[in-house]
């Protein structure tokens, strides 16, 4: 059957033309096409790689920033805490001081009041004494003959009578 | 599955037709077959007995001297012959048409050239037949197309592909990344030019073969055999010791079984190119036979209903044939890559 028997002429031409076609295409077409495709692939790959690297760098920068921020925040917190403590301490101290001062003032006031009262009582005693003497004198003028005896008796009586 | 069924059907149609044709021709010898064979083209229905489906189909799928685009429109091509008796002879195929199939000492009987006085003498036929002309045409087309594509890459370097370059780039990258790279492995780049040439050569000839009046080049067993043999030669020139070791001393086989394995392995070695040859040839020729059989029905029945049916089925089959054109080019390339890949593979996992 002719259909199934390969003809020698066609085999020869096919071999010749196909091989020629192969060498011509390899030199003038595939070389350029494949190298262009390859360089484009490499380009895309390197671009992708660079993008990946940039992304990693960005992530690193971001984490650095966050770390810095966290540090700053904790520092701020520490400073604030210290300041608050200082303020508290100052307030406490001044409060103590004020209390002390007040106590002191109170004490001195109390002392001076006491002194005053003592001197006042003293004065009063004297006044009362002199007044009593005057009264007694006036009384005695009428009732007593000797002024000295009577005043001695009165001052004795007054000193016995404590006014407190 | 469907494809196989169709192929089987078409081959059975073809064989019935062919034997019928031979029987028929036994009755009327001579130049009469010419008019039967081409009855389809001018579609004349005068001779009811005249239409012979088998010879019409064979005429269309076989090679011929001169290129008959349609009935009566024939481009004469050079006939190149060599015989011991008459040496080299070159003349136009038109001489045969003028001489009723005879010219000088030569006779053209069913496109097979022999000597007039001695039918058994060997005549080597290196003619530029319809198939060879088509072969040259497709080679020129491929060179034009792919140098244009290559020029595109030079012109649009670093830019997006344009025109024919962007049309073919996905095909090229598919063959490169989906077929050759996974099948051959890390050394695939050296084989890419061959695989791409092979793919586009088969594809363009499959498609050209579907156009009316064109040659059935990839459906010719000489062409597919040559392509398969080139792959075969590459496989065995590039094969490493793993491949040969696997054939002559398969690991883990007892010594007394080795001769049996040699027979099996050697059959396997030759089975690969044989399957490549026959797969492409049978698929393309089968497709042509199916299409021609349906078209032939018109001339057999000369009936509008049949004509309408054939129109619908013929259109559908043509679309399937376009698909087959791509699939067969793809499969031939894929299998060639796999054969090369298995021959240069470094480690066998056994």
């Amino acid at each position: 059957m002719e259909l199934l028997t390969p003809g020698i002429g066609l085999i020869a031409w096919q071999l010749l033309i196909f091989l020629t076609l192969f060498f011509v295409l390899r030199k003038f077409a595939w070389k350029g096409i494949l190298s262009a495709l390859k360089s484009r692939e490499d380009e895309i790959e390197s671009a992708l790689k660079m993008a990946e690297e940039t992304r990693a760098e960005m992530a690193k920068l971001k984490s650095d920033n966050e770390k810095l921020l966290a540090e700053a925040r904790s520092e701020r917190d520490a400073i604030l805490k210290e300041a608050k403590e200082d303020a508290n301490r100052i307030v406490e101290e001044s409060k103590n001081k004020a209390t002390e001062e007040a106590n002191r003032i109170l004490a001195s006031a109390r002392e001076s009041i006491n002194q005053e009262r003592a001197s006042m009582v003293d004065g009063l005693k004297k006044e009362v004494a002199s007044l009593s003497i005057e009264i007694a004198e006036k009384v005695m003028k009428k009732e007593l003959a000797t002024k000295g005896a009577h005043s001695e008796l009165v001052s004795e009586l007054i000193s016995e009578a404590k006014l407190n | 599955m469907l494809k196989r069924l169709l192929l089987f059907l078409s081959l059975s149609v073809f064989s019935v037709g062919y034997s019928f044709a031979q029987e028929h021709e036994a009755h009327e010898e001579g130049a009469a077959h010419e008019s039967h064979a081409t009855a389809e083209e001018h579609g004349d229905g005068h001779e009811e007995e005249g239409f012979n489906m088998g010879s019409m189909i064979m005429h269309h799928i076989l090679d011929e001297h001169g290129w008959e685009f349609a009935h009566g429109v024939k481009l004469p091509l050079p006939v190149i012959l060599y015989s011991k008796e008459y040496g080299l002879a070159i003349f136009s195929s038109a001489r045969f048409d003028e001489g009723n199939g005879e010219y000088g000492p030569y006779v053209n009987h069913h496109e097979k050239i022999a000597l007039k006085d001695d039918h058994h003498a060997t005549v080597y036929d290196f003619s530029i037949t319809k198939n060879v002309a088509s072969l040259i045409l497709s080679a020129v087309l491929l060179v034009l197309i792919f140098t244009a594509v290559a020029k595109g890459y030079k012109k649009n370097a670093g830019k997006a592909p344009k025109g024919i370059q962007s049309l073919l780039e996905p095909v090229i990258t598919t063959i490169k990344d989906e077929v050759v790279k996974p099948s051959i492995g890390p050394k695939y780049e050296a084989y890419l030019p061959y695989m791409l040439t092979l793919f586009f050569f088969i594809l363009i000839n499959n498609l050209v073969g579907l156009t009316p009046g064109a040659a059935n080049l990839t459906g010719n067993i000489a062409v597919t055999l040559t392509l398969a043999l080139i792959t075969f030669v590459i496989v065995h020139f590039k094969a490493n010791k793993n491949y040969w070791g696997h054939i002559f001393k398969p690991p883990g086989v007892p010594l007394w079984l080795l001769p049996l394995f040699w027979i099996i392995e050697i059959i396997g070695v030759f089975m690969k190119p044989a399957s490549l040859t026959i797969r492409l040839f049978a698929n393309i020729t089968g497709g042509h036979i199916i299409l021609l059989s349906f078209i032939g029905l018109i001339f057999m029945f000369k009936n509008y209903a049949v004509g309408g049916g054939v129109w619908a089925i013929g259109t559908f089959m043509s679309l399937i044939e376009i698909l087959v054109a791509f699939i067969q080019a793809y499969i031939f390339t894929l299998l060639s890559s796999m054969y090369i890949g298995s021959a240069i593979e470094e480690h066998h996992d056994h």
Side-chain angles (χ1 to χ4, degrees):
Chain A
M1 263 165 74
E2 212 190 325
L3 188 67
L4 295 176
T5 49
I8 180 137
L10 190 51
I11 291 180
W13 284 115
Q14 167 69 18
L15 197 63
L16 180 74
I17 292 169
F18 184 79
L19 290 180
T20 313
L21 176 70
F22 165 65
F23 287 115
V24 168
L25 283 186
R26 190 173 67 166
K27 184 152 173 30
F28 296 107
W30 301 132
K31 218 169 118 191
I33 293 171
L34 292 174
S35 72
L37 282 177
K38 198 171 166 56
S39 74
R40 192 199 296 165
E41 255 163 43
D42 291 349
E43 228 163 76
I44 291 170
E45 202 154 303
S46 74
L48 282 176
K49 212 167 134 194
M50 208 162 82
E52 189 63 35
E53 273 167 13
T54 313
R55 196 182 302 154
E57 215 163 282
M58 287 296 290
K60 204 177 135 247
L61 269 177
K62 208 174 156 196
S63 81
D64 279 1
N65 274 351
E66 250 158 39
K67 218 164 78 187
L68 273 176
L69 210 65
E71 254 167 40
R73 209 170 277 150
S74 74
E75 205 166 315
R76 186 199 64 185
D77 285 354
I79 289 170
L80 267 178
K81 205 174 144 200
E82 212 172 294
K84 207 177 269 173
E85 269 170 15
D86 276 357
N88 281 350
R89 209 184 59 231
I90 288 167
V91 167
E92 194 75 16
E93 259 172 26
S94 47
K95 215 188 259 172
N96 286 350
K97 214 182 250 174
T99 319
E100 223 169 76
E101 187 76 358
N103 284 348
R104 206 175 50 81
I105 289 168
L106 220 65
S108 77
R110 200 169 283 147
E111 206 178 317
S112 73
I113 287 170
N114 280 349
Q115 269 174 4
E116 208 93 336
R117 199 170 64 177
S119 72
M120 222 167 73
V121 169
D122 222 27
L124 204 63
K125 264 183 199 169
K126 275 180 188 148
E127 197 77 5
V128 170
S130 68
L131 206 61
S132 311
I133 289 167
E134 239 171 81
I135 296 166
E137 206 182 65
K138 272 176 189 166
V139 172
M140 288 306 163
K141 249 178 203 169
K142 279 179 182 174
E143 289 181 11
L144 289 171
T146 57
K147 197 186 170 181
H150 288 285
S151 83
E152 215 174 305
L153 180 72
V154 169
S155 72
E156 207 182 296
L157 284 173
I158 287 164
S159 68
E160 272 169 21
K162 276 264 188 218
L163 277 170
N164 251 347
Chain B
M1 196 60 221
L2 179 73
K3 180 71 214 165
R4 273 191 206 162
L5 189 71
L6 288 173
L7 184 64
F8 173 73
L9 279 175
S10 65
L11 281 175
S12 54
V13 165
F14 145 74
S15 56
V16 167
Y18 191 69
S19 54
F20 174 64
Q22 281 178 328
E23 234 173 88
H24 196 69
E25 273 157 24
H27 294 297
E28 17 176 19
E29 275 282 22
H33 74 274
E34 277 285 61
S35 64
H36 300 306
T38 52
E40 173 260 337
E41 269 142 2
H42 56 131
D44 62 343
H46 305 309
E47 13 177 15
E48 287 276 288
E49 302 294 317
F51 179 68
N52 184 327
M53 181 95 107
S55 68
M56 180 276 278
I57 290 173
M58 290 311 283
H59 173 80
H60 274 87
I61 61 175
L62 287 179
D63 208 355
E64 61 177 338
H65 294 84
W67 193 333
E68 192 167 26
F69 296 101
H71 188 62
V73 187
K74 192 166 180 177
L75 178 74
L77 294 169
V79 176
I80 304 166
L81 301 172
Y82 179 81
S83 60
K84 243 182 250 157
E85 290 81 354
Y86 296 97
L88 189 70
I90 301 174
F91 53 90
S92 165
S93 71
R95 300 289 94 76
F96 279 133
D97 299 329
E98 290 158 6
N100 234 344
E102 286 180 18
Y103 176 71
Y106 307 104
V107 58
N108 180 6
H109 183 66
H110 291 257
E111 301 302 328
K112 225 174 155 68
I113 295 172
L115 293 182
K116 215 188 295 181
D117 33 347
D118 182 5
H119 280 276
H120 299 289
T122 0
V123 178
Y124 296 103
D125 187 354
F126 292 103
S127 305
I128 306 293
T129 57
K130 181 181 174 182
N131 274 343
V132 178
S134 176
L135 177 63
I136 296 169
L137 188 72
S138 65
V140 170
L141 265 177
L142 284 171
V143 169
L144 288 179
I145 291 171
F146 286 101
T147 47
V149 173
K151 211 198 269 168
Y153 278 101
K154 203 176 268 177
K155 211 173 74 183
N156 306 329
K159 279 189 268 177
K162 255 186 190 165
I164 193 162
Q165 181 197 3
S166 58
L167 176 74
L168 289 169
E169 185 177 306
V171 187
I172 295 171
T173 50
T174 303
I175 296 299
K176 175 171 159 278
D177 295 334
E178 310 295 327
V179 178
V180 181
K181 203 171 175 177
S183 313
I184 295 186
K187 292 183 205 153
Y188 75 100
E189 273 173 340
Y191 302 93
L192 261 182
Y194 171 63
M195 290 303 165
L196 288 167
T197 311
L198 189 65
F199 177 79
F200 285 106
F201 177 82
I202 296 173
L203 179 63
I204 201 169
N205 281 302
N206 284 349
L207 292 174
V208 164
L210 286 174
T211 46
N216 176 27
L217 191 69
T218 41
N220 190 299
I221 201 160
V223 170
T224 60
L225 177 71
T226 311
L227 293 176
L229 283 180
I230 294 172
T231 295
F232 179 81
V233 167
I234 293 176
V235 166
H236 292 89
F237 263 86
K238 295 283 180 182
N240 58 15
K241 58 178 188 295
N242 274 332
Y243 177 79
W244 294 113
H246 201 75
I247 291 174
F248 292 109
K249 206 183 173 319
V253 175
L255 275 179
W256 60 275
L257 261 178
L258 273 183
L260 183 67
F261 268 76
W262 291 341
I263 295 170
I264 294 170
E265 289 290 347
I266 286 167
I267 290 174
V269 162
F270 290 100
M271 208 54 133
K272 286 171 182 173
S275 73
L276 280 183
T277 304
I278 293 168
R279 182 180 298 106
L280 181 57
F281 154 74
N283 271 283
I284 302 305
T285 297
H288 284 220
I289 290 170
I290 298 172
L291 272 176
L292 290 167
S293 309
F294 280 120
I295 293 167
L297 288 178
I298 301 175
F299 301 98
M300 273 176 93
F301 290 97
K302 298 189 177 67
N303 177 318
Y304 283 115
V306 172
V310 166
W311 169 74
I313 296 170
T315 307
F316 173 68
M317 283 309 302
S318 297
L319 293 175
I320 286 190
E321 284 309 312
I322 291 172
L323 190 66
V324 169
F326 280 90
I327 290 172
Q328 289 305 321
Y330 172 80
I331 287 181
F332 200 107
T333 314
L334 178 66
L335 289 175
S336 292
S337 306
M338 283 168 73
Y339 295 158
I340 292 176
S342 73
I344 64 165
E345 199 177 18
E346 284 302 332
H347 299 289
H348 276 284
D349 318 318
H350 277 291

